[in-house]
Amino acid sequence: MAVTGVGAAASTSTVSRKTIAEDFDTFLTLLTTQLKNQNPLDPLDTDQFTQQLVQFTGVEQQLKTNDYLAAMMLSAQGAGNSQAVSYVGKIVTASGSKSELVDGRAAWTFAVAKPANVTISVRDEAGNVVFRKQGSVAQGESVFVWDGVGDDGRKKPDGSYSITVEGRDEEGSLVEVLTEMTGQVTGVDFTGSEPVLIVGNARVNLSGVLSVRAASAGGA
């Protein structure tokens, strides 16, 4: 006499742990009944019983493992969301070329691998160059601060601006420039797979944040 149907019931991924436990009790009850009423001339195949029991136990363990992994993912996501929320009101520096002009001040951080002569172009949201400046910088990080006054001598409205930086060494060869952005976090977007910080009109992935400081340390 063979036991059937139990393995099929446990193999579906939508069965809850409560249902698994109930099915396991039913399995044991059915097994006990079979042992009591088995035909002495055709006893229960112990190998088949062992295989079904191992299969059932494996499914139960897999469901528990899935529950643990889901709990760990939720915990990690919650920690990431809490971290992102803690940035609201702080000044962050992140990879990117955008920054916010607020009260006549916008700041960018960029880095060069060696001393270079640089040409910095500030562009508005439409891509138009509104300010250009040339100068020389040492190896490493430099901070460019713009007062919001364009090449035409007019003060530009607050908003999102971007920069492009071209660097050349003494021989005139191009030098790689890594551009960053600095601004105050005003909100967080959780709709994607990763929290996104809202810095004015710019959006910065949490993983792109390079540094964070209190707004009282000097403003955006």
Side-chain angles (χ1 to χ4, degrees), residues 54-84:
V54 169
Q55 180 185 15
F56 194 97
T57 303
V59 172
E60 184 178 25
Q61 291 177 343
Q62 184 61 52
L63 288 175
K64 290 181 178 179
T65 299
N66 291 343
D67 288 343
Y68 294 149
L69 289 176
M72 290 175 63
M73 291 178 63
L74 289 175
S75 178
Q77 182 179 7
N81 290 350
S82 297
Q83 181 185 13

Side-chain angles (χ1 to χ4, degrees), residues 111-115 139-140 175-177:
V112 292
K114 58 182 179 179
Q139 177 181 351
V175 175
E176 182 180 9
V177 180

Side-chain angles (χ1 to χ4, degrees), residues 4 17 21 47 54 58 64 91 113 141 160 182-183 189 209 218:
T4 61
R17 286 194 297 174
D47 289 338
V54 169
K64 290 181 178 179
I91 306 300
E141 284 193 355
S160 181
T182 300
D189 183 359
V209 174

Side-chain angles (χ1 to χ4, degrees), residues 104-188:
R105 188 179 190 277
W108 290 265
T109 302
F110 63 94
V112 292
K114 58 182 179 179
N117 297 314
V118 298
T119 299
I120 301 174
S121 301
V122 179
R123 301 175 183 272
D124 60 18
E125 291 187 279
N128 302 312
V129 176
V130 296
F131 180 76
R132 182 178 283 110
K133 181 178 181 178
Q134 295 181 330
S136 58
V137 295
Q139 177 181 351
E141 284 193 355
S142 297
V143 178
F144 169 62
V145 179
W146 181 45
D147 61 5
V149 178
D151 286 334
D152 57 5
R154 297 180 180 179
K155 189 173 181 62
K156 303 304 177 182
D158 288 356
S160 181
Y161 292 82
S162 62
I163 64 168
T164 55
V165 183
E166 180 183 278
R168 294 184 179 272
D169 59 19
E170 293 181 353
E171 287 73 34
S173 300
L174 287 173
V175 175
E176 182 180 9
V177 180
L178 301 178
T179 308
E180 300 168 0
M181 62 156 292
T182 300
Q184 185 170 16
V185 179
T186 58
V188 184

